[in-house]
Amino acid sequence: MVPMDAKLIEQVITNLLDNAVKHTTCEETITVCVNYLPDMAQVTVKDEGEGIAKEDEGNLFQIFYTSKTRASGVRKGIGLGLTICETVVNAHGGTITGRNREDGKGAEFIFTLPL
């Protein structure tokens, strides 16, 4: 069992999936994985989309930040989704990171929650 507010963590996963859908075509895959480590649960949402631009890497979780380098046809957000994710995960004592995948193209967001 992972001690958490299920509604808030559901919102985190929804925001991460929404972000992945915005940056992934119908032919590309989005994957959600949960791993249990000795003292934490680790959730990963990864896609095969356009990845994270170098100039966006340090700003992913900044309030109201949206990418200036997005591909054409990508729905523009208002810059709250990832900020909400970080706030909720941190309030649960966890961590969240976003980066380009090392095993292929696309991005991955990983958050942890203490057990």
Side-chain angles (χ1 to χ4, degrees):
M1 297 291 289
V2 180
M4 68 175 139
D5 182 314
K7 286 282 189 199
L8 290 176
I9 297 303
E10 178 183 351
Q11 186 64 58
V12 169
I13 294 169
T14 298
N15 289 358
L16 294 176
L17 286 171
D18 183 55
N19 222 36
V21 167
K22 286 180 190 175
H23 299 279
T24 306
T25 66
C26 294
E27 296 80 28
E28 296 167 326
T29 303
I30 298 170
T31 306
V32 179
C33 301
V34 178
N35 293 306
Y36 290 97
L37 306 174
D39 58 346
M40 69 183 77
Q42 180 184 57
V43 180
T44 304
V45 176
K46 57 185 171 180
D47 63 57
E48 294 178 339
E50 63 196 39
I52 301 166
K54 204 67 156 158
E55 53 270 24
D56 294 333
E57 289 177 349
N59 299 308
L60 292 174
F61 300 99
Q62 295 296 317
I63 191 166
F64 301 126
Y65 183 82
T66 58
S67 176
K68 312 294 186 267
T69 59
R70 64 182 60 253
S72 64
V74 174
R75 238 177 40 219
K76 184 165 175 70
I78 60 171
L80 289 176
L82 292 177
T83 303
I84 291 169
C85 292
E86 182 181 51
T87 301
V88 169
V89 170
N90 288 344
H92 281 79
T95 62
I96 186 167
T97 58
R99 63 184 184 203
N100 285 311
R101 291 177 58 172
E102 296 173 354
D103 63 346
K105 77 174 204 142
E108 65 184 358
F109 286 83
I110 302 165
F111 72 90
T112 62
L113 297 172
L115 297 178

